Amino acid sequence: MTPGIRPLVAGNWKMNGTGASLGELRSISQGFMSGLDTETDALVCVPATLLSRAAEAVAGTPVKIGGEDCHSRENGAHTGDISAEMLKDAGASHVIVGHSERRTDHGEDDATVHAKAEAAWRAGLVAIICIGETREQREQGATLDILSRQVAGSVPASATAVNAVLAYEPVWAIGTGLTPTAGDVAEAHAHIRAKLAEKLGAVEAAKIRILYGGSVKPSNAVELLGVANVDGALVGGASLKAADFLGIAEAYRSL
């Protein structure tokens, strides 16, 4: 945790969910209305097909809804893509950019992520900018170098605590059940904070949320979320079930 920063627990449903899944979302919102909202902010990023219905499902509750990706352009001949403005119109307040699955599956580089973050701000969305190393890079001892490069290339100089959230997701821990040690997470998050300070200035960098993502679950949430400079979680599979997502958020009652 970082003193003075209100944590954020964010879910990423990825390519999962239909209308039948909205019941889980309603259960999540009920959990936060029962007192969890005093501990942490809540966000669930859902597939574009669910955005408007998800926004309606949580209307009037503390839970916000986000998109999972956006195009850098406002409109145009980009079949199958979705602009940040479209996400905003459908009820989103945030959008994930630069997730490792986008970087790997779609070849997105730091410049693309940078442009998407700026597109999010153009539409009035908060950008959740993802960074993280692969297993091969970690085994080569290049983790901090990779994080330095990604902060430099993916985070626009106009990033602030109001318009941006960083998410550190070690690629090798996503969906594998593997997690780095608390010490590994502390080292990575401290390094990210330092690089943000170099880029944005120490005052602004000290206020930006840095989330941890990568096989976060109720059983390890207290340990991971209690690490210095960890200001919440970006939760994958565990966000699909209300009980698991709420169990992670409940960790803040113990911290």
Side-chain angles (χ1 to χ4, degrees), residues 31-32 34-39 222 248-255:
F32 277 88
S34 299
L36 273 177
D37 61 314
T38 64
E39 308 289 342
V222 171
I248 292 168
E250 286 277 356
Y252 282 104
R253 296 193 192 275
S254 304
L255 295 173

Side-chain angles (χ1 to χ4, degrees), residues 211-245:
L211 310 184
Y212 171 74
S215 294
V216 182
K217 47 200 171 193
S219 62
N220 62 20
V222 171
E223 179 184 16
L224 292 171
L225 299 183
V227 171
N229 289 303
V230 173
D231 308 312
L234 182 57
V235 184
S239 68
L240 293 166
K241 293 295 182 182
D244 290 340
F245 189 73

Side-chain angles (χ1 to χ4, degrees), residues 166-180:
L166 269 285
Y168 168 57
E169 292 199 309
V171 179
W172 52 273
I174 299 173
T176 64
L178 301 172
T179 53

